Amino acid sequence: MNNAVLRDVAVLIARIALGVVFIAHGWQKFSEWGMEGTAGSFEQMGVPVPTVSAWFSAIVEVVGGALLIVGLAVPVAGLLLLVNMFGALFIVHLESGIFAADGGYELVLVLGVTSLLLAAVGAGRFSLDQVVAPRLAQGAGALVKA
């Protein structure tokens, strides 16, 4: 296997893993807590416009996670997921330090920067982006060069 194939296999694995985590967190907001409960929790944490933020967060996590898994619009999904995670980092978790067990930001930081990385490098050859928009599969950098 050449380096390009190994890179694309690694990107595929990362996309699937990250997508599963985001779908799980977004689905939890819908199914376990409900949007009313999620918005109430966001309000207690000081998240601005908690109802809108709850819906944004849940939709971006579920839809963005699914897009990562299938490899469709990955630069856009990655950037939206980054915005979502950085909102969580700066509004909710930063004051609690790094460790997630203490309410800290380690998980949202890793999820956010991994989303940024996928936005930058793209979905790779094993993706729907490769089928529908090959330049998109190469990430945001390829779009800027155009």
Side-chain angles (χ1 to χ4, degrees):
M1 226 182 304
N2 67 33
N3 285 342
V5 172
L6 286 174
R7 174 200 171 275
D8 288 334
V9 168
V11 169
L12 173 65
I13 293 167
R15 281 189 2 242
I16 292 170
L18 190 63
V20 166
V21 171
F22 273 118
I23 289 171
H25 281 267
W27 190 251
Q28 182 181 43
K29 289 174 178 68
F30 284 118
S31 65
E32 187 176 322
W33 302 330
M35 294 314 299
E36 189 174 311
T38 300
S41 177
F42 278 21
E43 185 173 25
Q44 287 179 335
M45 291 184 273
V47 176
V49 285
T51 300
V52 173
S53 297
W55 278 98
F56 174 83
S57 178
I59 291 169
V60 166
E61 289 170 8
V62 170
V63 174
L67 290 172
L68 291 181
I69 289 171
V70 299
L72 184 62
V74 167
V76 174
L79 290 176
L80 287 171
L81 290 163
L82 170 69
V83 167
N84 189 42
M85 290 298 97
F86 274 18
L89 189 155
F90 290 111
I91 296 169
V92 177
H93 296 282
L94 193 61
E95 292 178 359
S96 298
I98 191 165
F99 298 110
D102 299 328
Y105 58 85
E106 71 181 319
L107 178 62
V108 297
L109 179 64
V110 170
L111 293 174
V113 297
T114 306
S115 298
L116 173 62
L117 179 64
L118 289 175
V121 303
R125 77 180 75 199
F126 306 117
S127 67
L128 289 179
D129 279 348
Q130 181 65 32
V131 175
V132 299
R135 280 213 336 240
L136 193 62
Q138 298 172 23
L143 298 175
V144 174
K145 287 190 263 181

